């Protein structure tokens, strides 16, 4: 029984770190979108953005049981997480689109008034809320069942993990996003690492979908097997370590022109 709670604690820790990086990206996008506004309006727009992020993420929590019980939604969620993660990795590795994304967002926002800017912030918040809840549900569904019974159509302990992860994301947006933004500035590879983890979590949700009793491609017990659980966390830790120790491109010496 102790090993079950240890796995839950480990999953929650991973989820909080992932939520922190996504929250930092969320906060950074809010700052870029509102950058063109006067200082007083900028602060107000970002505060509205934080409030909307709270509302959207709380709203997303009500979709937990739907996502957790309908395999078609799980399949769509897995495909979306894989697309989101791989798209970011490919762009950051082979193209300049990712580098210029925030500059494009800023240019699109310039010349727009206060409320159109708030509307754009709302759309960004909604996208991040979807990313957050899908990543949380994908991690939670792979955990073993607990003795806490069901809550909202989902295992009680899994529901608690998702809710705590969501709350952590909200707290990090409000209080710790600045630190995470600075961390991303010092270690830019962590942003790609976060999306690599998102893609790997998408793989986990895909495995859960393929093992659903209505699909049966994989054995129903496979997502909870020791072998798959160890493989999942080993790859996840490897991704995190590679991202943490990856050299920063901005630290590379520039070639001097003769």
């Amino acid at each position: 029984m102790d090993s079950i709670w240890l796995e839950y604690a480990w999953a929650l820790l991973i989820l909080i770190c992932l939520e922190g990086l996504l929250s930092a990206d969320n906060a950074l996008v809010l700052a870029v979108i509102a950058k063109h506004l006067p200082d007083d309006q900028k602060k107000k727009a970002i505060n509205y953005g934080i409030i909307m992020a709270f509302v959207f993420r709380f709203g997303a929590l009500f979709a937990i049981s739907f996502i957790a019980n309908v395999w078609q939604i799980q399949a769509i969620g897995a495909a979306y997480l894989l697309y989101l993660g791989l798209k970011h990795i490919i762009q950051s590795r082979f193209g300049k689109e990712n580098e210029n994304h925030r500059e494009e967002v800023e240019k699109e926002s310039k010349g727009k008034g206060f409320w159109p800017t708030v509307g754009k912030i709302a759309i960004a918040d909604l996208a991040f809320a979807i990313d957050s809840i899908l990543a949380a549900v994908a991690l939670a569904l792979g955990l073993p069942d607990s003795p806490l019974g069901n809550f909202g159509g989902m295992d009680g302990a899994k529901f608690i993990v998702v809710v705590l992860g969501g709350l952590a994301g909200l707290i990090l947006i409000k209080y710790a996003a600045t630190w995470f933004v600075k961390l991303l500035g010092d270690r830019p590879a962590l942003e790609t690492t976060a999306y690599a983890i998102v893609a790997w979590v998408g793989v986990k949700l895909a495995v859960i979908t393929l093992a659903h009793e209505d699909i049966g491609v994989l054995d129903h017990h496979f997502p909870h097997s020791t072998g798959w659980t160890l493989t999942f966390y080993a790859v996840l830790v490897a991704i995190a370590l590679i991202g943490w120790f990856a050299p920063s491109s901005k630290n590379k010496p520039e070639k001097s022109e003769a």
Side-chain angles (χ1 to χ4, degrees):
M1 186 62 69
D2 289 341
S3 61
I4 291 179
W5 297 121
L6 184 62
E7 188 174 346
Y8 269 85
W10 177 236
L12 181 58
L13 179 62
I14 292 169
L15 183 56
I16 289 173
C17 292
L18 184 56
E19 289 286 352
L21 290 169
L22 290 176
S23 297
D25 218 24
N26 197 167
L28 200 53
V29 167
L30 298 190
V32 170
I33 293 175
K35 189 175 180 180
H36 69 286
L37 294 173
D39 288 343
D40 57 334
Q41 291 188 0
K42 183 192 304 181
K43 185 175 181 180
K44 188 185 292 184
I46 291 174
N47 285 336
Y48 281 162
I50 291 172
I51 292 171
M52 285 186 290
F54 272 58
V55 172
F56 285 137
R57 293 198 182 202
F58 266 120
L61 292 177
F62 289 99
I64 291 175
S65 59
F66 186 58
I67 296 173
N69 292 300
V70 181
W71 72 262
Q72 291 90 340
I73 301 299
Q74 293 175 14
I76 294 172
Y80 176 72
L81 289 177
L82 283 166
Y83 164 78
L84 182 72
L86 294 176
K87 176 174 178 284
H88 183 96
I89 293 168
I90 291 170
Q91 286 181 347
S92 64
R93 180 66 180 85
F94 300 106
K96 296 184 178 180
E97 292 90 341
N98 191 58
E99 292 178 18
N100 298 330
H101 174 67
R102 293 191 182 101
E103 293 178 10
E104 291 173 3
V105 169
E106 183 182 346
K107 288 178 182 177
E108 289 174 9
S109 297
K110 282 183 177 177
K112 293 185 177 180
F114 177 76
W115 288 112
T117 299
V118 171
K120 193 171 182 67
I121 286 174
I123 294 172
D125 280 336
L126 181 59
F128 277 104
I130 293 170
D131 298 346
S132 170
I133 197 66
L134 279 174
V137 169
L139 268 176
L141 287 181
L143 294 169
D145 290 336
S146 74
L148 298 186
N150 287 341
F151 185 83
M154 188 178 184
D155 180 87
K158 295 177 184 178
F159 183 85
I160 291 172
V161 165
V162 175
V163 170
L164 289 178
L167 290 176
L170 297 178
I171 293 169
L172 290 167
I173 283 180
K174 178 63 178 174
Y175 297 107
T178 302
W179 181 81
F180 274 100
V181 168
K182 183 178 183 300
L183 182 63
L184 287 176
D186 295 337
R187 298 179 180 273
L190 279 181
E191 184 170 4
T192 300
T193 301
Y195 282 95
I197 291 174
V198 166
W200 183 235
V201 169
V203 171
K204 183 171 189 175
L205 189 55
V207 167
I208 292 169
T209 304
L210 293 174
H212 194 281
E213 55 189 11
D214 292 336
I215 303 297
V217 173
L218 296 174
D219 184 82
H220 183 62
H221 301 288
F222 177 75
H224 307 293
S225 65
T226 302
W228 167 244
T229 300
L230 291 175
T231 300
F232 173 78
Y233 286 115
V235 172
L236 190 146
V237 169
I239 293 172
L241 290 175
I242 290 170
W244 181 261
F245 291 107
S248 172
S249 59
K250 68 180 182 179
N251 291 332
K252 291 180 181 178
E254 294 183 1
K255 294 181 180 179
S256 58
E257 294 182 3

